[in-house]
């Protein structure tokens, strides 16, 4: 609060992220409420970049595929473009559910909570790791279901990133898809990260670094 002003400093993916056209019903309702209570209008101003590593989000006309991926410290969108490997702002997608993206944000925060547990090592490390690397875990099921729905709405194939930190004595690269048991190793690594991709099961993953 400063003099007669209330200022908020959120991070955004793009300069126009807070543009009115992206507001869903709930955002607009809250803005209307604040404006009514305060008797003034909200103004939005870009004040610059916070990080020198800032990468612009995806601007591909049509992405080849999407990947649902996040981690415990990410502030990017949980959806990335398989073509350019950049963030896809959720407000560029058709509204997902109930005018917004609640199911995606619910999966994202669940995933980040599990990733924090396994990074901290002391509480529930094995449990959270299994949530992240087993295709049948409740966390993966939630994520895979979201991928399916994004694909239905956008017609862009959407892959689920499956974490992998199993014991690797050099044989992990020959492992088959954990779901359909078919070959899924990529001939060349994709985006300096992904080693496995199953087009049937819509799962993408990496070779374990746990050697
Ligand atoms: Zn892209
Ligand atoms: Zn498969």
């Amino acid at each position: 609060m400063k003099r007669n002003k209330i200022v908020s400093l959120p991070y955004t993916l793009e300069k126009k992220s807070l543009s009115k056209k992206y507001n869903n019903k709930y955002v607009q309702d809250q803005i209307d409420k604040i404006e009514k209570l305060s008797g003034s209008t909200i103004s939005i101003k870009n004040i610059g970049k916070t990080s020198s590593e800032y990468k612009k989000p995806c601007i591909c006309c049509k992405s080849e595929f999407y990947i649902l991926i996040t981690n415990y410290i990410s502030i990017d969108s949980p959806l990335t473009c398989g073509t350019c490997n950049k963030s896809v702002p959720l407000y560029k997608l058709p509204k997902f559910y109930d005018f917004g993206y609640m199911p995606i944000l619910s999966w994202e925060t669940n995933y980040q909570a599990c990733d924090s547990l396994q990074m901290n090592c002391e509480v529930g490390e094995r449990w959270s790791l299994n949530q992240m690397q087993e295709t049948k875990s409740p966390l993966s099921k939630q994520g895979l279901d979201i991928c399916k729905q994004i694909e239905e709405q956008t017609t862009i194939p959407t892959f689920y990133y499956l974490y992998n930190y199993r014991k690797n004595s050099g044989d992990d690269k020959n492992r088959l898809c954990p779901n359909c048991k078919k070959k899924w190793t990529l001939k060349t690594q994709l985006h300096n990260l992904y080693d496995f991709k199953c087009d049937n099961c819509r799962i993408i993953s990496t070779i374990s670094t746990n050697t």
Side-chain angles (χ1 to χ4, degrees):
M1 286 175 119
K2 203 179 168 193
R3 286 193 204 106
N4 201 21
K5 271 185 189 171
I6 303 171
V7 180
S8 166
L9 297 167
Y11 298 109
T12 62
L13 286 175
E14 295 177 293
K15 278 188 179 170
K16 293 197 161 49
S17 292
L18 296 175
S19 159
K20 197 173 176 178
K21 66 177 174 185
Y22 298 132
N23 289 354
N24 67 28
K25 180 186 177 299
Y26 299 106
V27 171
Q28 196 54 52
D29 283 355
Q30 294 304 320
I31 287 176
D32 292 346
K33 209 161 142 189
I34 291 170
E35 291 188 336
K36 202 171 159 212
L37 286 170
S38 64
S40 51
T41 51
I42 289 180
S43 66
I44 291 162
K45 193 162 75 174
N46 273 105
I47 54 166
K49 282 187 208 171
T50 49
S51 156
S52 54
E53 282 148 46
Y54 167 79
K55 280 194 299 180
K56 285 193 169 130
C58 163
I59 48 160
C60 298
C61 289
K62 182 143 170 90
S63 304
E64 235 177 295
F65 58 96
Y66 289 147
I67 302 164
L68 189 68
I69 179 172
T70 188
N71 63 57
Y72 73 117
I73 45 168
S74 173
I75 54 165
D76 278 327
S77 163
L79 198 67
T80 64
C81 166
T83 307
C84 69
N85 201 30
K86 289 177 180 163
S87 237
V88 178
L90 295 183
Y91 49 75
K92 297 276 174 81
L93 301 179
K95 294 282 177 284
F96 191 81
Y97 169 79
D98 191 25
F99 308 104
Y101 312 101
M102 263 322 279
I104 304 180
L105 302 178
S106 157
W107 169 83
E108 182 188 28
T109 42
N110 285 343
Y111 190 97
Q112 290 178 336
C114 286
D115 201 17
S116 298
L117 284 180
Q118 71 101 14
M119 287 304 291
N120 290 341
C121 301
E122 282 170 81
V123 177
E125 182 187 14
R126 170 54 59 186
W127 176 85
S128 54
L129 188 60
N130 288 342
Q131 288 294 316
M132 293 163 66
Q133 65 179 10
E134 305 294 339
T135 46
K136 303 269 186 290
S137 73
L139 180 68
S140 298
K141 276 191 199 159
Q142 190 186 15
L144 283 160
D145 186 48
I146 285 163
C147 291
K148 215 171 122 199
Q149 294 189 49
I150 294 175
E151 180 163 339
E152 269 170 27
Q153 290 184 16
T154 60
T155 70
I156 294 174
T158 305
F159 287 74
Y160 183 66
Y161 167 71
L162 197 65
Y163 191 81
N164 179 24
Y165 196 69
R166 49 177 52 72
K167 191 86 197 111
N168 179 10
S169 37
D171 51 350
D172 195 41
K173 62 179 184 298
N174 302 320
R175 201 164 42 88
L176 301 173
C177 167
N179 194 48
C180 68
K181 317 286 179 215
K182 290 188 181 141
K183 279 194 176 165
W184 68 325
T185 312
L186 292 167
K187 286 195 182 75
T188 48
Q189 197 180 46
L190 180 70
H191 300 316
N192 232 347
L193 177 66
Y194 305 109
D195 306 291
F196 303 113
K197 182 169 174 268
C198 182
D199 293 326
N200 277 329
C201 307
R202 299 285 200 254
I203 304 170
I204 192 161
S205 190
T206 53
I207 288 176
S208 173
T209 52
N210 181 10
T211 50

